[in-house]
Amino acid sequence: MRCTNCGYEIPDGELYCKRCGREIRIVPDYNPLDDVLAAQVKGGIDGGERPLDDYDYEQSYTSDLRRGEAQRAERRKKEQTRSMRHTSAMSGKTARTSGTGRVSRGTGTAGKRASQGTGNMNPDRERRRRMAEKKREKKKRLRRKIIIGFIILIAALAVAVFFLYRNSYAGQIRQGNRAFSEGNYEEAENFFNRAVDKDPKRGEAYTALSKVYLARDDEDGAEELFLNALESYPDEVPVYEACIAFYVDTEQPQEVSAILEDAPEDVRSELSEYVSEGPTFSLDDSEVFDDVQQLSLESDGEAIYYTTDGSDPDTSSQKYSEPIQIPEGTTTVSAISVNAAGIPSLPVVKEYTVEFPIEDAPAVTPSTGQYEQQTQIVIQVPEGYTAYYTMDKSDPTEKSTKYTGPIDMPEGNTIFKAVLVNGKGRLTGVTTRNYELVLN
């Protein structure tokens, strides 16, 4: 059967067209005049006693009306029966999904309600219900499409973010660390170098690269890497931090002060915890002292270490605890201060000179003259001095003959010269005597 409105093919048992929603007419509308006309034509053919004009229209019309009413009632009954069967079938499905044991009860109740509802069902209401069902189904499909599209969008964004991260600075570092942990040093170095190229002002890539150098026992190469980075980016705190961490890890804390010495003031301010200032000296090394001195050292750090032999001090050198004695002569004092972070300062070096007042030329007896009997020459040697002499007219030095006691005057003419030398090698003036010994 086709719909008289839109031509849609309607399956058997359907009461409304699914395409346009219009009610299906199973039985044509009844017209009583058709029955009257049919009866007249039949009477004329059969040769009945009453002519066509004498036909009992009233009786026939009344009879036909009743018959039409009966037919319409029969049609409504059939429609109600079909609707009730359809409703019962739907109720039976619902009952079966709820459990086998309740199917009979559910069906009976649903059937009763369907029977009650179908008799009063409004065709327009049923049509609106079906249209509402279609709209809900359409919305469900739209929601499913939106959800699927959203999921696809999220997946695409995740893939894009993944590839962006993989090629980012952090992504290169992560891949390099993975390769390094697997022992693929060459691959790790490539990743870290790409990270440096992406952002050479950050420190993580330099630190990671230094680990590759150290794994190859190339500590000098690692240090050169940092020094070159500092030369290229002298104002970048992250590069300094990476270099400082390298020196601390390789037990070279003394080098930290070396790289911070010439760093810009703002960098030193940012890294103040690593800055270690050298100790201050209580004595001015430009002065020459004439007596033994005591040198005091002070510092804001945790400890001070020093040497007095000209060597560079470190944390294994003499720890300062009391003033340092500066003896006669020249003394070189070199000291460092170690701050709370364990970073030693650069050495502070000062050279002190202490010169005691020198004695005059030594006293020598006898005085210059001519002698006729055996005589001894005596030199007066003060404490702390050593006397040296010559008798060949040359000036005496520490390499000349050392005086140990009275000397017999040689026979004939003798030029005798004597000098005193203190403990620091300083020489006094030279005393000269001219002797002539003539023995009878």
Side-chain angles (χ1 to χ4, degrees):
M1 179 184 296
R2 293 184 178 274
C3 177
T4 58
N5 181 55
C6 67
Y8 177 74
E9 183 68 28
I10 303 172
D12 293 338
E14 296 290 333
L15 301 179
Y16 295 90
C17 178
K18 291 185 177 180
R19 177 181 293 175
C20 63
R22 181 164 294 186
E23 181 182 5
I24 302 170
R25 294 185 178 279
I26 300 175
V27 180
D29 291 336
Y30 177 72
N31 188 353
L33 293 178
D34 294 337
D35 291 342
V36 173
L37 182 59
Q40 290 177 344
V41 173
K42 182 178 180 182
I45 294 173
D46 294 341
E49 297 180 354
R50 298 176 65 183
L52 292 176
D53 294 337
D54 294 335
Y55 185 82
D56 189 356
Y57 288 98
E58 181 178 356
Q59 180 181 358
S60 177
Y61 181 75
T62 303
S63 176
D64 290 338
L65 284 176
R66 291 174 180 173
R67 188 165 54 253
E69 286 292 330
Q71 289 178 353
R72 284 193 292 274
E74 182 65 19
R75 186 182 66 185
R76 286 195 298 272
K77 184 176 181 180
K78 289 180 179 179
E79 290 177 354
Q80 292 173 359
T81 301
R82 290 192 184 95
S83 178
M84 182 174 63
R85 288 176 180 174
H86 179 73
T87 305
S88 298
M90 295 300 293
S91 300
K93 290 181 180 179
T94 304
R96 283 193 295 274
T97 59
S98 302
T100 306
R102 293 185 292 176
V103 171
S104 178
R105 256 193 332 271
T107 304
T109 304
K112 189 180 294 183
R113 290 176 182 172
S115 178
Q116 293 173 356
T118 306
N120 300 323
M121 182 177 293
N122 189 324
D124 290 337
R125 182 184 300 171
E126 178 67 13
R127 181 174 58 82
R128 288 195 297 271
R129 185 185 68 79
R130 289 181 178 274
M131 291 181 68
E133 287 280 349
K134 291 180 180 179
K135 289 181 179 179
R136 284 194 293 272
E137 185 64 27
K138 186 176 181 180
K139 288 181 179 179
K140 288 181 181 179
R141 289 195 297 269
L142 181 60
R143 280 197 299 271
R144 283 196 295 269
K145 290 180 179 179
I146 292 174
I147 292 173
I148 293 172
F150 184 73
I151 292 173
I152 293 173
L153 177 62
I154 293 296
L157 288 175
V159 171
V161 169
F162 171 77
F163 280 104
L164 287 174
Y165 173 77
R166 185 178 178 85
N167 291 290
S168 67
Y169 183 91
Q172 296 297 317
I173 294 293
R174 183 175 181 179
Q175 293 176 82
N177 286 333
R178 184 184 298 111
F180 180 82
S181 64
E182 295 172 354
N184 299 326
Y185 298 140
E186 183 175 356
E187 183 179 357
E189 183 178 4
N190 291 334
F191 281 121
F192 295 144
N193 279 323
R194 284 198 289 269
V196 170
D197 292 338
K198 287 182 176 295
D199 193 347
K201 297 181 180 180
R202 296 175 64 176
E204 296 91 334
Y206 295 112
T207 299
L209 267 175
S210 69
K211 292 180 180 178
V212 174
Y213 282 104
L214 293 176
R216 296 170 174 169
D217 295 326
D218 187 6
E219 186 173 313
D220 292 339
E223 183 176 19
E224 184 178 359
L225 168 73
F226 285 109
L227 296 179
N228 289 338
L230 290 176
E231 184 178 357
S232 300
Y233 306 99
D235 299 325
E236 297 301 325
V237 172
V239 180
Y240 280 93
E241 289 177 328
C243 187
I244 289 171
F246 164 75
Y247 281 130
V248 172
D249 291 342
T250 55
E251 299 181 355
Q252 302 179 78
Q254 69 277 3
E255 300 298 333
V256 175
S257 293
I259 65 171
L260 291 177
E261 181 184 18
D262 298 325
E265 193 57 37
D266 57 339
V267 173
R268 289 174 60 86
S269 178
E270 286 282 340
L271 302 174
S272 58
E273 62 181 302
Y274 298 107
V275 175
S276 182
E277 300 291 350
T280 58
F281 288 57
S282 63
L283 297 177
D284 182 6
D285 61 344
S286 64
E287 183 179 352
V288 176
F289 301 95
D290 60 4
D291 199 0
V292 174
Q293 300 295 308
Q294 287 188 335
L295 172 65
S296 297
L297 304 177
E298 292 184 357
S299 171
D300 294 333
E302 296 289 315
I304 298 174
Y305 299 88
Y306 70 94
T307 62
T308 57
D309 58 0
S311 62
D312 290 333
D314 54 31
T315 53
S316 63
S317 301
Q318 178 68 38
K319 186 175 182 180
Y320 176 80
S321 59
E322 58 185 18
I324 304 169
Q325 298 295 320
I326 306 298
E328 182 184 12
T330 300
T331 303
T332 301
V333 180
S334 181
I336 60 172
S337 175
V338 180
N339 65 11
I343 305 300
S345 68
L346 293 176
V348 179
V349 182
K350 291 184 180 294
E351 185 176 88
Y352 296 100
T353 301
V354 176
E355 293 183 354
F356 292 160
I358 195 68
E359 291 283 344
D360 294 332
V364 178
T365 59
S367 60
T368 297
Q370 185 176 0
Y371 297 90
E372 295 179 351
Q373 58 184 6
Q374 189 67 45
T375 306
Q376 287 187 320
I377 303 171
V378 177
I379 303 174
Q380 301 295 324
V381 183
E383 184 179 356
Y385 285 84
T386 303
Y388 297 89
Y389 67 92
T390 62
M391 289 187 293
D392 58 359
K393 300 180 182 180
S394 65
D395 291 335
T397 64
E398 289 179 293
K399 296 181 179 181
S400 301
T401 304
K402 184 178 180 181
Y403 176 79
T404 58
I407 305 166
D408 292 332
M409 183 182 297
E411 189 174 356
N413 187 271
T414 302
I415 303 297
F416 182 87
K417 293 183 177 182
V419 70
L420 298 176
V421 180
N422 68 6
K424 297 301 179 181
R426 295 180 64 198
L427 281 66
T428 66
V430 177
T431 300
T432 303
R433 295 286 187 265
N434 188 352
Y435 298 114
E436 184 176 358
L437 177 60
V438 178
L439 298 176
N440 294 328

